[in-house]
C-alpha cells in the first residue's frame, strides 16, 4: 500500500495506517503493516517506491488536512499511467475535495484522471453522516453482498439526505457556483495578500482554499469567530476556507471585509 506524505485519510484503524502525520498515529500503533509513504507530486520517487507487491496507491487530488496542497499539473496523469503499467489500483480520497467543492464534481477531473476506487463522505449528504466507496464493477465483483455491511450503513435518513444533496448540487448548479464564487473569493484574497504582509501564499481550487500565514493563526481564528466568520485551520499557520457551496457574492464580500479587519488587528498585535 502506498500513500502520500502529508496525507489524511481518517482516524479509524485502516485509514489511520494510511495517514501520514505522526501526530495522529503515535498513540495507536502498531498500525497496518506494509504501508509506504511517498512525497506528494514526485512521480520519480513514487515509481521507485512501488514494487511487484504493491496493491494500491491512495491520494487526495488536493490534500486538505495538511494545508490545501494542489497536485502539480501532470502528477495525477503520471500516477494513473504508472498504475496501469504495473497493475496497481488507484484510489482517490475525494472526501474533502469531491462533490463540487473545487468547481468540478470530482477534483480528479481538473486533470482528466479517473481512479479505480473513490472514497466519498463529508458533503455527500449535506451534513447528515454518510460515507460511500465507489468502485469499478469488476472490483466490486470481488466481494459478495453483505461482506461490507454495517449497522447504520445504507440507512434511509442518510440516503434521503444524500439524494437531496446530489439533486441540489446538480439542479441548483452548485458546482458552477463553486467555480464562480471561488474565483471571486480568490481575487479578493489576492488583493488582501497585496495589502497584508503576513500572508505568505494562497492556494487551492474553487471553494477549497488555503491561506498560509507567516505566523500562527490562532488569534485570527478567535477574532473571526467574534466577528461572525468561522475560519478553519490546517497546522499552526494555515487558514482553511471551505465555505458552503451555496455561498453568495455578498457572503464573500462580508468575509473579505471581516478578514481584512482581522488581519489589520493581527498585524498591529505583531508589529508588522
Ligand atoms: C481527505 C479526507 N479523508 C478522510 C477524512 C475522514 O476523516 P475522519 O475519519 O477523521 O472523519 C477526512 C476528514 O477530514 C478527509 O479530509
Amino acid at each position: 500500500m502506498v500513500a502520500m506524505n502529508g496525507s489524511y485519510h481518517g482516524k479509524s484503524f485502516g485509514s489511520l495506517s494510511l495517514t501520514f502525520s505522526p501526530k495522529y498515529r503515535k498513540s495507536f500503533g502498531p498500525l497496518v503493516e506494509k504501508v509506504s509513504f511517498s512525497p506528494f507530486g514526485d512521480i520519480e520517487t513514487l515509481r521507485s517506491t512501488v514494487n511487484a507487491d504493491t496493491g494500491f496507491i491512495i491520494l487526495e487530488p488536493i490534500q486538505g488536512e495538511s494545508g490545501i496542497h494542489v497536485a502539480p499539473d501532470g502528477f495525477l496523469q503520471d500516477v494513473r499511467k504508472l498504475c496501469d503499467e504495473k497493475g496497481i489500483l488507484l484510489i482517490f480520497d475525494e472526501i474533502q475535495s469531491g462533490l463540487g467543492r473545487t468547481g468540478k464534481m470530482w477534483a480528479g477531473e481538473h486533470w482528466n484522471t479517473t481512479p479505480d476506487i473513490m472514497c466519498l463522505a463529508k458533503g455527500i449528504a449535506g451534513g447528515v453522516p454518510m460515507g460511500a466507496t465507489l468502485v469499478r464493477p469488476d472490483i466490486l465483483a470481488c466481494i459478495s453482498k453483505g461482506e461490507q455491511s454495517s449497522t447504520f450503513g445504507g440507512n434511509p435518513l442518510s440516503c434521503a439526505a444524500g439524494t437531496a444533496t446530489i439533486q441540489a448540487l446538480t439542479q441548483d448548479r452548485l458546482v458552477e457556483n463553486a467555480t464562480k464564487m471561488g474565483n471571486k473569493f480568490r481575487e479578493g484574497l489576492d488583493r488582501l495578500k497585496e495589502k497584508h504582509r503576513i500572508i505568505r501564499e494562497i492556494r487551492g481550487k474553487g471553494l477549497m482554499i488555503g491561506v498560509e500565514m507567516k505566523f500562527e493563526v490562532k488569534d485570527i481564528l478567535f477574532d473571526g469567530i467574534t466577528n461572525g466568520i468561522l475560519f478553519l485551520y490546517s497546522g499552526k499557520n494555515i487558514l482553511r476556507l471551505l465555505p458552503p457551496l451555496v455561498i453568495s457574492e455578498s457572503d464573500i464580500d462580508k468575509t473579505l471585509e471581516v478578514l481584512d479587519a482581522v488581519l489589520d488587528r493581527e498585524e498591529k498585535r505583531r508589529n508588522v
Side-chain angles (χ1 to χ4, degrees):
M1 294 164 276
V2 180
M4 300 289 120
N5 292 3
S7 62
Y8 184 87
H9 298 295
K11 297 195 188 87
S12 54
F13 186 65
S15 58
L16 185 60
S17 306
L18 301 166
T19 290
F20 182 70
S21 173
K23 163 176 92 177
Y24 299 124
R25 300 168 62 91
K26 66 178 184 343
S27 304
F28 295 97
L31 295 169
V32 178
E33 291 175 0
K34 300 193 180 175
V35 175
S36 307
F37 291 95
S38 182
F40 185 56
D42 175 353
I43 190 66
E44 289 317 318
T45 306
L46 185 59
R47 193 179 290 283
S48 61
T49 303
V50 300
N51 60 36
D53 291 332
T54 304
F56 67 77
I57 295 173
I58 183 165
L59 58 86
E60 301 150 78
I62 300 180
Q63 291 188 327
E65 180 72 20
S66 66
I68 314 293
H69 297 285
V70 181
D73 284 340
F75 181 60
L76 296 193
Q77 290 97 325
D78 287 344
V79 179
R80 177 73 271 178
K81 223 183 285 165
L82 176 66
C83 288
D84 291 342
E85 264 167 46
K86 308 267 184 196
I88 295 169
L89 293 177
L90 178 56
I91 307 177
F92 283 174
D93 179 342
E94 292 249 19
I95 285 175
Q96 191 165 146
S97 60
L99 290 143
R101 169 143 306 280
T102 68
K104 301 266 187 200
M105 189 57 115
W106 316 119
E109 288 180 80
H110 289 288
W111 299 277
N112 299 316
T113 307
T114 309
D116 303 299
I117 299 178
M118 186 155 67
C119 314
L120 302 175
K122 288 201 194 289
I124 194 172
V128 175
M130 185 177 195
T133 307
L134 309 189
V135 301
R136 279 197 341 238
D138 56 310
I139 301 170
L140 189 61
C142 298
I143 53 172
S144 28
K145 276 206 181 97
E147 264 185 314
Q148 274 295 307
S149 62
S150 68
T151 305
F152 296 117
N155 78 80
L157 173 65
S158 293
C159 292
T163 304
T165 302
I166 290 166
Q167 259 169 20
L169 280 176
T170 48
Q171 286 168 11
D172 300 347
R173 306 183 71 81
L174 296 182
V175 185
E176 289 86 339
N177 195 55
T179 300
K180 203 165 139 216
M181 293 302 122
N183 289 340
K184 180 180 163 65
F185 215 162
R186 192 56 189 265
E187 280 164 26
L189 289 168
D190 286 340
R191 279 197 303 276
L192 290 186
K193 182 171 181 286
E194 304 269 293
K195 179 174 167 200
H196 295 282
R197 290 175 35 213
I198 58 169
I199 299 181
R200 177 175 286 145
E201 190 183 36
I202 300 167
R203 42 184 191 256
K205 279 194 186 289
L207 290 173
M208 185 170 184
I209 305 172
V211 182
E212 185 168 330
M213 303 287 175
K214 293 179 184 158
F215 304 101
E216 279 195 32
V217 295
K218 194 168 99 241
D219 292 338
I220 296 178
L221 296 175
F222 286 123
D223 199 344
I225 290 171
T226 311
N227 288 284
I229 306 287
L230 200 54
F231 297 114
L232 199 57
Y233 64 95
S234 276
K236 283 192 165 44
N237 66 327
I238 301 168
L239 278 188
R240 226 181 336 155
L241 309 177
L242 301 165
L245 305 195
V246 292
I247 196 167
S248 63
E249 299 210 8
S250 61
D251 289 333
I252 290 177
D253 287 335
K254 167 85 180 153
T255 306
L256 290 166
E257 193 186 305
V258 170
L259 185 58
D260 190 14
V262 167
L263 293 177
D264 274 338
R265 284 191 287 275
E266 179 70 3
E267 284 174 336
K268 274 204 193 94
R269 268 194 298 268
R270 292 189 180 273
N271 262 332
V272 282

